[in-house]
Amino acid sequence: MTKQIPVYLITGFLGSGKTTVLKKAVHAVKDKGLTPALILNELGEVNVEHGLFDQERMVEMLNGCICCTISADMTRELSVFLEGNKDVDVLFIEGTGVADPSEIMESLTHPSLIDKVKLVSTIGMVDGSKFLEYQSIFSSSKEIREILKKQISSSALVVLNKVDLVKDKELTKVKKKISELIDERAEFIETDHGEISAGILLKERVSNKNYSISDSSDTYYHDDHEHHHHHGQVHDHHHHMFQAITLRDIPAIDRMIFEKWLQSMPQVVRSKGIIHLEETPQRFQYQYASGQLVLNRSNVQQEAKPCIILIGSNLSGEEISKSFQQLVKK
């Protein structure tokens, strides 16, 4: 397999400390002798923080939301950027303060990017001094409360920042409210001025697994350090918050059988990829969500090989791989 660059997504509402933490993360990576790259997004026409990272390799995205752009132009742009920067070791993405992180996460598993990058952590910044104000129906909008909820619930590491500016009684209320939004598998820490150790900041919290489908063997390419092999078996440790299972070497399959197979796995919340159908030699790019399969003739570059990408939690890659093998042998 080609080198997959680990990706850290830093999210959080306006003024929560994303850029401060990004600077620390970049320095931590460089201290390890690694080469970072950045994707920076601003809502305006100018990135006023460009000077903070003018020595780094980056892609700037202005005048819009990263989650909308990356799903279209950015997929191609990021592929081109990585092709011209093969020595990049780590990629950091900082979305706007109003970006939905789940859409960015989903975009990173696009078939044309899945072999080039792998999401390893989502870091959600929360401004402790403003959180209750943003949550109040009297001083904020429904849109603000909704995006805060998405940013917190989608994060594998939630950082309650600026706690030095919050009184004890108020801080207790803030932590109680966050506990109602945070995923039970996520890590939660408190800090001020974005002071986070490199070990916590760069910890990998998202599982990425790859399986090769063939008649002769159950080849397993593992990208996740939390998986161990004993006597040819794969043991999955389901303490990661998010999982992305990729099936490769996919033979042609009947459309109806494929859709029923996807629907048989309620733990899969999203799936996408490139497949060949038995009914036609044409390649198709597919999307699957809410129990519905949508197929479109593939416009992904020819070097993108057929694959099935499954996104969810508590996924057993070994079981999924075997069930698909049985499906195509019928």
Side-chain angles (χ1 to χ4, degrees), residues 11-16 18 41 43 94-99 147-148 151:
T11 184
F13 200 62
L14 304 168
S16 58
K18 296 189 299 297
N41 188 219
L43 291 173
E94 180 189 347
T96 70
V98 295
I147 196 61
L148 278 171
Q151 290 174 345

Side-chain angles (χ1 to χ4, degrees), residues 96-232:
T96 70
V98 295
D100 182 348
S102 64
E103 295 184 14
I104 303 174
M105 292 157 56
E106 181 182 313
S107 297
L108 291 170
T109 57
H110 189 278
S112 66
L113 287 177
I114 193 67
D115 287 331
K116 300 176 182 179
V117 299
K118 61 175 182 177
L119 181 66
V120 297
S121 185
T122 52
I123 302 170
M125 302 296 300
V126 179
D127 182 350
S129 67
K130 294 286 188 179
F131 183 74
L132 293 182
E133 177 184 336
Y134 291 148
Q135 285 293 301
S136 171
I137 61 174
F138 302 106
S139 57
S140 72
S141 66
K142 179 182 178 181
E143 289 75 19
I144 290 177
R145 295 192 297 275
E146 187 62 29
I147 196 61
L148 278 171
K149 178 181 178 181
K150 289 180 179 179
Q151 290 174 345
I152 293 173
S153 62
S154 296
S155 296
L157 169 64
V158 176
V159 180
L160 178 57
N161 195 26
K162 303 185 180 182
V163 295
D164 55 315
L165 303 178
V166 187
K167 294 180 179 179
D168 291 344
K169 187 175 181 179
E170 182 182 351
L171 184 59
T172 299
K173 293 181 180 179
V174 171
K175 291 193 289 186
K176 182 178 183 298
K177 186 64 177 178
I178 291 177
S179 69
E180 297 171 357
L181 303 175
I182 193 172
D183 188 282
E184 62 181 10
R185 292 156 294 184
E187 189 173 349
F188 177 59
I189 64 172
E190 301 173 32
T191 186
D192 57 79
H193 298 92
E195 290 295 336
I196 309 172
S197 70
I200 292 177
L201 201 53
L202 299 180
K203 180 179 177 181
E204 295 192 6
R205 295 178 171 85
V206 179
S207 171
N208 294 270
K209 290 171 278 186
N210 291 272
Y211 291 82
S212 174
I213 304 300
S214 65
D215 292 333
S216 58
S217 65
D218 300 333
T219 308
Y220 173 61
Y221 305 102
H222 69 100
D223 301 306
D224 183 359
H225 299 302
E226 301 297 336
H227 291 251
H228 306 279
H229 293 249
H230 298 288
H231 306 296

Side-chain angles (χ1 to χ4, degrees), residues 72-97:
D73 299 338
M74 195 55 196
T75 300
R76 176 188 54 79
E77 189 173 342
L78 182 54
S79 294
V80 173
F81 173 77
L82 295 176
E83 188 66 28
N85 293 270
K86 293 183 178 296
D87 58 338
V88 168
D89 299 304
V90 181
L91 180 64
F92 294 103
I93 297 178
E94 180 189 347
T96 70

